[in-house]
Amino acid sequence: NAGVTQTPKFRVLKTGQSMTLLCAQDMNHEYMYWYRQDPGMGLRLIHYSVGEGTTAKGEVPDGYNVSRLKKQNFLLGLESAAPSQTSVYFCASSFRVGTRNPSYEQYFGPGTRLTVT
Amino acid sequence: QKEVEQDPGPLSVPEGAIVSLNCTYSNSAFQYFMWYRQYSRKGPELLMYTYSSGNKEDGRFTAQVDKSSKYISLFIRDSQPSDSATYLCAIGRRFGAGTRLTVKP
């Protein structure tokens, strides 16, 4: 049981380049999230998904897109990377409580360190 | 005003000390309060989960919620060097900035 995994672990991009970060979870969780973590800012929610085929915007969605084609995978895309997107990106997942509410307990991946020069 | 405020520290204590970590929040509707621990270059992991007010104890860790003051605390008794990490509070789905703790042998 690997939990939440993220690839790649590190990446350096030049301004304007694009890339996709992959998150996978093997816990059959309904809900998945993408966060960025910056010094002094804590974790900020970029996008999230409440189930396969659905996505929604979080607190800081600009410059990012996401897709959830399979329940176990959640992809984060940067179409045209900017230095302001230099950060550590974390994926998380949570299970459903009752018929439709997500648990507040989140399980995080190990993170992807992205540098945009 | 941020929804969740947490002093980023850093906080340095000797081994065996009692550590107190705190967060304040602004939205009185919040009912779910979490503490996550994050080791260097790792993802956060859930440490404690409290619903509504009161205390919850788990080994050397105690989580306390004071809804009247919109204040939550995490106490670590008999702190160990292995407790050195960043501790993030989460209230609802909002995270604090994290407090970096170092426990010196």
Side-chain angles (χ1 to χ4, degrees):
Chain A
N1 191 342
V4 180
T5 57
Q6 293 182 232
T7 51
K9 289 186 169 49
F10 305 92
R11 186 73 186 268
V12 178
L13 287 179
K14 293 188 189 307
T15 297
Q17 287 184 319
S18 63
M19 78 164 293
T20 300
L21 283 67
L22 171 64
C23 175
Q25 52 96 4
D26 61 2
M27 296 174 284
N28 201 34
H29 285 172
E30 292 289 335
Y31 300 88
M32 296 187 75
Y33 313 85
W34 275 108
Y35 292 91
R36 60 178 290 173
Q37 187 176 40
D38 303 290
M41 302 290 286
L43 287 162
R44 291 183 292 168
L45 183 64
I46 304 171
H47 285 280
Y48 64 99
S49 169
V50 301
E52 182 179 321
T54 72
T55 63
K57 293 180 180 180
E59 190 184 350
V60 288
D62 294 342
Y64 305 95
N65 57 74
V66 288
S67 64
R68 183 122 180 249
L69 299 179
K70 293 182 179 180
K71 185 177 183 179
Q72 63 268 34
N73 296 337
F74 195 27
L75 278 61
L76 178 71
L78 284 73
E79 295 171 340
S80 179
S84 61
Q85 294 178 305
T86 294
S87 187
V88 182
Y89 291 86
F90 288 101
C91 176
S93 68
S94 65
F95 51 87
R96 183 166 55 196
V97 178
T99 56
R100 59 176 184 175
N101 293 321
S103 167
Y104 286 95
E105 299 174 58
Q106 297 187 36
Y107 296 79
F108 284 84
T112 295
R113 292 183 172 272
L114 175 66
T115 301
V116 183
T117 60
Chain B
Q1 182 189 9
K2 288 184 182 178
E3 285 191 275
V4 180
E5 299 269 9
Q6 183 176 11
D7 185 341
L11 184 61
S12 181
V13 301
E15 183 175 352
I18 296 174
V19 176
S20 172
L21 304 166
N22 311 293
C23 287
T24 59
Y25 61 97
S26 57
N27 189 337
S28 58
F30 287 138
Q31 297 273 30
Y32 295 89
F33 308 92
M34 279 73 62
W35 286 96
Y36 287 81
R37 178 174 60 195
Q38 185 178 20
Y39 290 114
S40 181
R41 296 186 174 265
K42 302 287 186 185
E45 56 178 342
L46 184 67
L47 191 60
M48 301 280 284
Y49 180 166
T50 309
Y51 173 73
S52 194
S53 287
N55 292 2
K56 185 174 184 178
E57 191 172 316
D58 184 2
R60 296 184 294 109
F61 298 88
T62 300
Q64 201 171 72
V65 175
D66 182 349
K67 292 191 73 178
S68 62
S69 302
K70 297 181 199 166
Y71 191 86
I72 69 169
S73 302
L74 178 70
F75 297 97
I76 307 174
R77 290 185 300 281
D78 187 26
S79 56
Q80 302 295 310
S82 58
D83 295 327
S84 298
T86 296
Y87 291 80
L88 299 100
C89 64
I91 300 171
R93 300 197 189 285
R94 289 284 192 257
F95 284 83
T99 300
R100 183 184 293 181
L101 171 68
T102 301
V103 180
K104 296 186 174 179

